Amino acid sequence: MATITETIEFNQFRLAPLQIRPELLRLRSGNKRHGIVAAPPSPLSPQAFSLDSLEQDVEKLEGQLPPVDGGIAAWRFLFAAFMVEAFIFGMVDPKILQNYYFTHHPFEGNANLSTVGTLGTAFFFLGAPVATYLVRRYHRWQREIIWTGCAISIIGLVSASFAPDFGTLVATQGVIFGMGVLIMYYPIFSMLNEWFIDRRGLALGILCAATGVSGLFYPFVLEILLNRYGRATTLRVSAVAITVLCGPALPLLKGRYPTSYHEKVPETDYSFFKMPLFYVFSLTALLQGLGFYFPFIYLPSYATSLGLSDHIGALLLVVSGFAQMLGQIGFGYFSDLRIKRFWMDQRVPVEVLVFISPLVSAIAILGLWGTASSIPVLVVFALVYGVFAGGFVVLWARMGTTLSPSPSLALVTFSAFACERGVGSVATGPISSALLTGDVNPAEYGIGRFKNIILYSGMCMLASAAVMVVWYVWRRIAKWIERKG
């Protein structure tokens, strides 16, 4: 992060009215919260000004802006974002739609139907770096970008309702809808970074939990609509519902800083690419993403293979969705938590949470799912795995602030970790096709047929946790060598 000197160039910060960089918004004498360090005077430019003058501008701007981490404006924004997340993401359940498509004309028996849902997920995660660039490049147009993304999503759903063949379905529900969701989400997360700093983890957890809330009831509504009215009517009703329910929330989605502030966005400092911890976090996120989706995809099939009804499989998905919601809020809360005991006054190290999440997930997969032969064990697995695996995504925000306190990097690092999750989502299909072999045998581990999938998913989670152990040991050895040297 750039050092703030006693003299600051106008061409660097463009201090027109209400155009102060986010890093300066909490600047106080001696405040190093965001890594800002005062350097000796350097009168190199006739356009230089004093730090006292800058602090007066900052104080003036702070007095005009609503507070961060709380207040009516911040919670109003989070409520609006929650509504959009719940109904845009939660109303189109690709698993429910895929099951219906597979048994109904004109897509009946098509083995490639999973491509539709995979494309939507891939756009959201793999397209994150592109969306981040657009948000930063056209920062002052964030609200317009959100409206455009919402319109594209609705157009995608309505177009999918008229799809006469599989190719058109992929292009509409897969590509167009997925692109709209991608365009919508990242400006919202960018605004969230403006409204929440100390409580960013909790805010992101609440936002992510919105999908779990809608997932508690809407899959059942979707099934009823599909069975009673068919694909075309259901998709059109979903599009109307998104318009009616999300429309009133869209005007409430606005950043904390005024539009004039965004006329010039500061250059992003990519020096975090040189930090070993970035690659440690990246490898951990990649391995966690490679094993993440398998339990959610195959848990209903596993229950059915045990002779349980389809309703039990649907119930397990609801339980895991509810557990994800709890995990996302819980991990978000603990990532913000400060420990104030005796001599300590520090935030809970995010490295500890990054280690705990995949470790407990691995234990649940290998110890509970692999040996499950009854409903109670499956329910316990869905709860434990949902909480600990589902909460990992919320840690991306604090992983970013651990690399750099600069607010301008939060969106960049988040998109990098999202892209790695996207690799896992795309790889899940081909990997599962290769691993799902053999017949069902209740006497075997993983009832035989699911053994390889359970072992693969569990080992990916275990490897993700092991990366953090290796990092911790390496740092201890490096410090010991440094002391001896």
Side-chain angles (χ1 to χ4, degrees):
M1 181 176 176
T3 299
I4 308 301
T5 62
E6 181 80 288
T7 58
I8 305 178
E9 299 287 346
F10 271 88
N11 61 4
Q12 180 182 0
F13 288 99
R14 286 189 62 195
L15 285 178
L18 299 180
Q19 289 179 312
I20 312 291
R21 292 178 59 178
E23 291 88 341
L24 305 182
L25 289 177
R26 295 192 169 197
L27 182 63
R28 300 290 187 272
S29 299
N31 184 0
K32 299 184 179 181
R33 176 178 179 179
H34 293 298
I36 300 175
V37 181
S42 175
L44 299 178
S45 168
Q47 295 175 313
F49 56 91
S50 69
L51 187 60
D52 291 338
S53 174
L54 175 61
E55 288 189 359
Q56 292 174 5
D57 288 337
V58 171
E59 292 284 355
K60 180 180 179 181
L61 180 58
E62 274 289 337
Q64 297 175 356
L65 294 177
V68 296
D69 294 316
I72 294 177
W75 293 116
R76 182 175 59 212
F77 163 81
L78 188 58
F79 171 77
F82 183 93
M83 293 291 292
V84 171
E85 172 103 3
F87 293 107
I88 289 284
F89 291 79
M91 276 197 163
V92 184
D93 190 318
K95 296 185 291 295
I96 301 295
L97 292 172
Q98 178 182 328
N99 293 337
Y100 179 85
Y101 293 160
F102 191 78
T103 57
H104 291 77
H105 180 78
F107 315 115
E108 186 176 1
N110 193 317
N112 297 315
L113 280 169
S114 60
T115 305
V116 180
T118 301
L119 266 178
T121 305
F123 263 106
F124 178 73
F125 288 118
L126 293 178
V130 177
T132 297
Y133 170 79
L134 292 176
V135 170
R136 290 187 54 75
R137 177 67 176 81
Y138 303 102
H139 208 54
R140 66 174 304 178
W141 304 104
Q142 288 183 108
R143 301 185 69 191
E144 289 77 5
I145 293 174
I146 293 173
W147 284 79
T148 302
C150 185
I152 292 174
S153 300
I154 293 171
I155 290 171
L157 282 184
V158 174
S159 301
S161 71
F162 294 99
D165 51 53
F166 177 69
T168 307
L169 184 69
V170 170
T172 52
Q173 186 183 321
V175 176
I176 297 177
F177 180 78
M179 189 178 298
V181 170
L182 169 70
I183 292 172
M184 277 194 72
Y185 186 81
Y186 289 92
I188 293 176
F189 180 67
S190 176
M191 292 177 178
L192 183 141
N193 290 336
E194 297 178 10
W195 285 108
F196 295 92
I197 298 177
D198 288 336
R199 305 175 79 175
R200 184 175 296 167
L202 177 61
L204 181 59
I206 293 173
L207 178 61
C208 292
T211 306
V213 172
S214 60
L216 293 177
F217 65 90
Y218 196 73
F220 300 103
V221 175
L222 194 61
E223 278 192 326
I224 293 172
L225 290 174
L226 286 169
N227 293 328
R228 183 171 297 182
Y229 300 107
R231 167 181 62 99
T233 301
T234 298
L235 291 179
R236 292 167 198 166
V237 168
S238 297
V240 172
I242 289 173
T243 304
V244 172
L245 295 172
C246 294
L250 292 180
L252 303 179
L253 293 174
K254 57 180 70 176
R256 180 171 179 258
Y257 305 128
T259 303
S260 59
Y261 163 78
H262 297 301
E263 289 183 358
K264 178 174 179 175
V265 179
E267 292 290 332
T268 300
D269 180 10
Y270 291 101
S271 61
F272 68 90
F273 279 118
K274 301 177 182 178
M275 300 173 63
L277 184 57
F278 170 73
Y279 297 98
V280 171
F281 282 156
S282 296
L283 182 57
T284 302
L286 176 62
L287 291 169
Q288 200 268 355
L290 287 171
F292 175 75
Y293 291 99
F294 290 93
F296 298 114
I297 294 174
Y298 288 104
L299 196 55
S301 301
Y302 187 96
T304 304
S305 299
L306 285 174
L308 303 174
S309 68
D310 293 339
H311 297 295
I312 296 299
L315 175 64
L316 290 173
L317 287 180
V318 171
V319 170
S320 63
F322 177 73
Q324 280 191 83
M325 180 180 65
L326 296 179
Q328 287 161 347
I329 296 175
F331 271 89
Y333 170 80
F334 282 110
S335 70
D336 293 336
L337 186 64
R338 298 192 71 89
I339 301 175
K340 296 182 179 181
R341 292 290 185 275
F342 303 110
W343 64 91
M344 291 192 304
D345 183 7
Q346 64 178 27
R347 201 183 299 277
V348 174
V350 72
E351 294 92 336
V352 174
L353 299 175
V354 172
F355 167 72
I356 291 174
S357 171
L359 177 65
V360 178
S361 301
I363 294 172
I365 293 171
L366 299 173
L368 292 175
W369 189 20
T371 59
S373 58
S374 62
I375 295 176
V377 178
L378 289 173
V379 170
V380 171
F381 166 71
L383 284 170
V384 175
Y385 185 78
V387 167
F388 286 91
F392 187 85
V393 64
V394 179
L395 300 177
W396 295 350
R398 284 297 168 209
M399 289 157 71
T401 55
T402 301
L403 295 169
S404 172
S406 172
S408 64
L409 285 181
L411 189 62
V412 177
T413 53
F414 185 91
S415 68
F417 301 135
C419 189
E420 286 148 12
R421 170 65 66 86
V423 173
S425 70
V426 173
T428 296
I431 292 173
S432 61
S433 299
L435 296 178
L436 193 65
T437 58
D439 298 323
V440 174
N441 183 355
E444 292 186 22
Y445 182 82
I447 60 175
R449 180 169 174 77
F450 298 92
K451 174 183 176 180
N452 293 335
I453 282 179
I454 291 172
L455 290 175
Y456 171 81
S457 180
M459 293 308 294
C460 282
M461 292 293 179
L462 204 57
S464 177
V467 170
M468 299 309 300
V469 174
V470 172
W471 167 249
Y472 174 79
V473 172
W474 183 84
R475 286 182 61 194
R476 298 290 292 183
I477 293 174
K479 289 181 179 179
W480 180 81
I481 293 174
E482 184 179 354
R483 287 198 302 268
K484 290 296 183 182

